[in-house]
Amino acid sequence: MAKVPVQFTLNGSEKAEFIDSGTTLLHALRDKIGDTSPKGGCHQGTCGACSVIVDGELRLSCLTLAETCNGATITTTSGLAEGGVLHPLQRAFLDTFATQCGFCTPGMIMAAKVLLDHTPNPSREDVVEALSGNICRCTGYEPIIQAVLTAARGNSQNAA
Amino acid sequence: MAIRRGRGVAAINYPTGMNLGGDPTQALVHSTPTGNFMVTLSSVDLGQGMKQIMAQICAETIGVPTDCVVVDTADTDTGPHCMGTFASRGTHRAGNAVIQAAKEARQVMLEVAAEELEVNASDLETDGQGNILVKGAPQKSISIFDVALSAHFKRGRSISGRGMFLIPRSYPEKETGAMKPSTCYAHACTVAEVEVDDETGEVTVLTVKNVFEIGRALNPKMVEQQLVGGSWMGISHALYETTEPYYPNRDHGGTDFNQYLMPGPGDLAETEIIVLERPSADGPYGAKGPGEMCANPQIPAVANAVFDAVGVRVDTLPITPERILRALKAQAN
């Protein structure tokens, strides 16, 4: 079958690949481009581990066809740190011990980033709602909720 | 038909590690030429912090800062033998092995330092900051960096140590069946408060208050992290998770996360964690195994709370709405 060209911006750099038609964005990112920060958990949209940001919106990369992302701007967790400095969400996840095995963490951070991009000062209910599509085996969620609220408090301090 | 409240309590006594055919773990420690220390293990870090704890234990025993220790758990084919990371055994078994290995390495390190300083090795102590000092005369000292260089390039010594910790197999006495299944027990007590809807059978856990007795908490923040996650997991086991809902009939088992249920971030009970530290006699620096036991007491506590709320004993897990409604129906007949 003929390969399909796909081009998009990933974490600020241009990417172009020839892929099989029907390739998921998750597969293209991990196995074609080599960005393994989105994780393949269930491959059916129930766990949230593969979450990435496409043109500002949270997307499950396991249910997104790569060829629908032509021209898109994509952000993954591996693109958040700048110049070796962790993104405030990454810092907060460390500080609140919000990660254990780490498999859900990139998806959680993506979901939290989209929340904070739209709602810089969220309530606890906002955070719970934003994370409700992501599941975690280890932490019991509370440390993750606290991490997002901690990062959000940093937002309000920067604004003040 | 009403929402009924109940409260249940449960206490547990949980062995650290297992005892089927003896329970060994091995560790090797060696210094690099610049005086950092390498711990080689086959005990895998699943995210619970094995590497951090082993680095702390090695650093404490040798007398260097924790960031001078690197823990390698990379390869179970080539690494020293470990039974594995399970049964809450990692910290206890591997920790004891690391202490033994680190003590041997420390002894060689002090012997090399003694030759350099022209003193007796038994007169030396470490300052925990990377230096070896003469007891009572701290102006006479040498850095561990220089000791390692000397050992490697001048004296031909390997600053290294071997550790092996074994809980031997315990055989039951033929007459009584008495045996010693474990040398070290952690303890926990949980009080759970629930609401049960006796029309739908739905259970909502309102609060879980846990006290855990886990020996010495070698890294209190990581212990807390384990206990918070474990407490939640206990509720998940009590009410939601099962691979075989109609066991032994294997039909209708969950095949994915649509059917294998776990509570999400919106289903959290108010959770309280209190840690009691009663150092264990045979644990590394008094530690026991908090890992697996911390997800256990919530299950009987929730079952007891359901009984308190609606007067039925559900003796099959998880305690699903269906099982509660069937039990209520049986009770009514």
Side-chain angles (χ1 to χ4, degrees), chain B residues 93-107:
Chain B
R93 305 298 198 258
N96 274 320
V98 167
I99 287 178
Q100 192 184 38
K103 275 184 178 167
E104 192 175 306
R106 176 184 163 93
Q107 184 55 33

PDB file of all heavy atoms in Angstrom, chain B residues 93-107:
ATOM      1  N   ARG B  93      14.980  -7.223  52.654  1.00  0.00           N
ATOM      2  CA  ARG B  93      15.960  -8.212  52.209  1.00  0.00           C
ATOM      3  C   ARG B  93      17.141  -7.532  51.506  1.00  0.00           C
ATOM      4  O   ARG B  93      18.298  -7.741  51.851  1.00  0.00           O
ATOM      5  CB  ARG B  93      15.323  -9.225  51.257  1.00  0.00           C
ATOM      6  CG  ARG B  93      14.088  -9.933  51.802  1.00  0.00           C
ATOM      7  CD  ARG B  93      14.391 -10.752  53.056  1.00  0.00           C
ATOM      8  NE  ARG B  93      13.345 -11.740  53.309  1.00  0.00           N
ATOM      9  CZ  ARG B  93      12.378 -11.616  54.220  1.00  0.00           C
ATOM     10  NH1 ARG B  93      12.320 -10.540  55.000  1.00  0.00           N
ATOM     11  NH2 ARG B  93      11.468 -12.563  54.379  1.00  0.00           N
ATOM     12  N   ALA B  94      16.857  -6.727  50.482  1.00  0.00           N
ATOM     13  CA  ALA B  94      17.949  -6.084  49.740  1.00  0.00           C
ATOM     14  C   ALA B  94      18.691  -5.099  50.636  1.00  0.00           C
ATOM     15  O   ALA B  94      19.913  -4.964  50.554  1.00  0.00           O
ATOM     16  CB  ALA B  94      17.410  -5.391  48.493  1.00  0.00           C
ATOM     17  N   GLY B  95      17.955  -4.416  51.508  1.00  0.00           N
ATOM     18  CA  GLY B  95      18.596  -3.451  52.411  1.00  0.00           C
ATOM     19  C   GLY B  95      19.617  -4.114  53.306  1.00  0.00           C
ATOM     20  O   GLY B  95      20.731  -3.603  53.505  1.00  0.00           O
ATOM     21  N   ASN B  96      19.267  -5.276  53.870  1.00  0.00           N
ATOM     22  CA  ASN B  96      20.222  -6.001  54.716  1.00  0.00           C
ATOM     23  C   ASN B  96      21.434  -6.471  53.918  1.00  0.00           C
ATOM     24  O   ASN B  96      22.560  -6.434  54.412  1.00  0.00           O
ATOM     25  CB  ASN B  96      19.520  -7.205  55.375  1.00  0.00           C
ATOM     26  CG  ASN B  96      18.818  -6.819  56.666  1.00  0.00           C
ATOM     27  OD1 ASN B  96      19.340  -6.035  57.452  1.00  0.00           O
ATOM     28  ND2 ASN B  96      17.630  -7.350  56.877  1.00  0.00           N
ATOM     29  N   ALA B  97      21.199  -6.916  52.673  1.00  0.00           N
ATOM     30  CA  ALA B  97      22.319  -7.348  51.832  1.00  0.00           C
ATOM     31  C   ALA B  97      23.236  -6.175  51.509  1.00  0.00           C
ATOM     32  O   ALA B  97      24.463  -6.294  51.518  1.00  0.00           O
ATOM     33  CB  ALA B  97      21.791  -7.993  50.547  1.00  0.00           C
ATOM     34  N   VAL B  98      22.631  -5.005  51.243  1.00  0.00           N
ATOM     35  CA  VAL B  98      23.436  -3.818  50.923  1.00  0.00           C
ATOM     36  C   VAL B  98      24.261  -3.402  52.144  1.00  0.00           C
ATOM     37  O   VAL B  98      25.432  -3.029  52.014  1.00  0.00           O
ATOM     38  CB  VAL B  98      22.528  -2.666  50.433  1.00  0.00           C
ATOM     39  CG1 VAL B  98      23.292  -1.350  50.399  1.00  0.00           C
ATOM     40  CG2 VAL B  98      21.975  -2.988  49.046  1.00  0.00           C
ATOM     41  N   ILE B  99      23.676  -3.477  53.337  1.00  0.00           N
ATOM     42  CA  ILE B  99      24.439  -3.119  54.547  1.00  0.00           C
ATOM     43  C   ILE B  99      25.672  -4.009  54.673  1.00  0.00           C
ATOM     44  O   ILE B  99      26.784  -3.532  54.918  1.00  0.00           O
ATOM     45  CB  ILE B  99      23.553  -3.241  55.814  1.00  0.00           C
ATOM     46  CG1 ILE B  99      22.545  -2.089  55.861  1.00  0.00           C
ATOM     47  CG2 ILE B  99      24.420  -3.245  57.080  1.00  0.00           C
ATOM     48  CD1 ILE B  99      21.606  -2.148  57.042  1.00  0.00           C
ATOM     49  N   GLN B 100      25.482  -5.336  54.473  1.00  0.00           N
ATOM     50  CA  GLN B 100      26.615  -6.249  54.610  1.00  0.00           C
ATOM     51  C   GLN B 100      27.696  -5.948  53.575  1.00  0.00           C
ATOM     52  O   GLN B 100      28.892  -5.877  53.904  1.00  0.00           O
ATOM     53  CB  GLN B 100      26.131  -7.697  54.454  1.00  0.00           C
ATOM     54  CG  GLN B 100      27.167  -8.723  54.859  1.00  0.00           C
ATOM     55  CD  GLN B 100      26.687 -10.150  54.594  1.00  0.00           C
ATOM     56  OE1 GLN B 100      26.024 -10.406  53.594  1.00  0.00           O
ATOM     57  NE2 GLN B 100      27.012 -11.042  55.487  1.00  0.00           N
ATOM     58  N   ALA B 101      27.279  -5.714  52.332  1.00  0.00           N
ATOM     59  CA  ALA B 101      28.252  -5.402  51.271  1.00  0.00           C
ATOM     60  C   ALA B 101      28.956  -4.081  51.547  1.00  0.00           C
ATOM     61  O   ALA B 101      30.172  -3.949  51.362  1.00  0.00           O
ATOM     62  CB  ALA B 101      27.548  -5.376  49.912  1.00  0.00           C
ATOM     63  N   ALA B 102      28.190  -3.099  51.984  1.00  0.00           N
ATOM     64  CA  ALA B 102      28.758  -1.764  52.217  1.00  0.00           C
ATOM     65  C   ALA B 102      29.724  -1.779  53.397  1.00  0.00           C
ATOM     66  O   ALA B 102      30.738  -1.075  53.394  1.00  0.00           O
ATOM     67  CB  ALA B 102      27.636  -0.751  52.454  1.00  0.00           C
ATOM     68  N   LYS B 103      29.430  -2.612  54.410  1.00  0.00           N
ATOM     69  CA  LYS B 103      30.353  -2.714  55.562  1.00  0.00           C
ATOM     70  C   LYS B 103      31.703  -3.259  55.110  1.00  0.00           C
ATOM     71  O   LYS B 103      32.750  -2.771  55.537  1.00  0.00           O
ATOM     72  CB  LYS B 103      29.761  -3.652  56.625  1.00  0.00           C
ATOM     73  CG  LYS B 103      28.801  -2.957  57.570  1.00  0.00           C
ATOM     74  CD  LYS B 103      28.345  -3.949  58.654  1.00  0.00           C
ATOM     75  CE  LYS B 103      27.421  -3.258  59.643  1.00  0.00           C
ATOM     76  NZ  LYS B 103      26.740  -4.240  60.501  1.00  0.00           N
ATOM     77  N   GLU B 104      31.665  -4.282  54.245  1.00  0.00           N
ATOM     78  CA  GLU B 104      32.924  -4.866  53.769  1.00  0.00           C
ATOM     79  C   GLU B 104      33.693  -3.845  52.947  1.00  0.00           C
ATOM     80  O   GLU B 104      34.908  -3.701  53.097  1.00  0.00           O
ATOM     81  CB  GLU B 104      32.617  -6.124  52.932  1.00  0.00           C
ATOM     82  CG  GLU B 104      33.836  -6.961  52.621  1.00  0.00           C
ATOM     83  CD  GLU B 104      33.461  -8.265  51.898  1.00  0.00           C
ATOM     84  OE1 GLU B 104      32.610  -9.009  52.413  1.00  0.00           O
ATOM     85  OE2 GLU B 104      34.051  -8.530  50.833  1.00  0.00           O
ATOM     86  N   ALA B 105      32.978  -3.103  52.082  1.00  0.00           N
ATOM     87  CA  ALA B 105      33.645  -2.078  51.262  1.00  0.00           C
ATOM     88  C   ALA B 105      34.218  -0.975  52.155  1.00  0.00           C
ATOM     89  O   ALA B 105      35.327  -0.482  51.939  1.00  0.00           O
ATOM     90  CB  ALA B 105      32.654  -1.496  50.252  1.00  0.00           C
ATOM     91  N   ARG B 106      33.458  -0.601  53.179  1.00  0.00           N
ATOM     92  CA  ARG B 106      33.927   0.452  54.098  1.00  0.00           C
ATOM     93  C   ARG B 106      35.216   0.011  54.790  1.00  0.00           C
ATOM     94  O   ARG B 106      36.154   0.810  54.964  1.00  0.00           O
ATOM     95  CB  ARG B 106      32.840   0.751  55.143  1.00  0.00           C
ATOM     96  CG  ARG B 106      33.273   1.754  56.210  1.00  0.00           C
ATOM     97  CD  ARG B 106      32.196   1.929  57.276  1.00  0.00           C
ATOM     98  NE  ARG B 106      32.727   2.557  58.473  1.00  0.00           N
ATOM     99  CZ  ARG B 106      32.711   3.869  58.703  1.00  0.00           C
ATOM    100  NH1 ARG B 106      32.171   4.676  57.823  1.00  0.00           N
ATOM    101  NH2 ARG B 106      33.237   4.372  59.795  1.00  0.00           N
ATOM    102  N   GLN B 107      35.279  -1.281  55.164  1.00  0.00           N
ATOM    103  CA  GLN B 107      36.471  -1.774  55.849  1.00  0.00           C
ATOM    104  C   GLN B 107      37.703  -1.645  54.950  1.00  0.00           C
ATOM    105  O   GLN B 107      38.748  -1.158  55.389  1.00  0.00           O
ATOM    106  CB  GLN B 107      36.257  -3.234  56.288  1.00  0.00           C
ATOM    107  CG  GLN B 107      37.395  -3.818  57.098  1.00  0.00           C
ATOM    108  CD  GLN B 107      37.738  -2.978  58.337  1.00  0.00           C
ATOM    109  OE1 GLN B 107      36.860  -2.354  58.954  1.00  0.00           O
ATOM    110  NE2 GLN B 107      39.032  -2.910  58.662  1.00  0.00           N
TER     111      GLN B 107
END
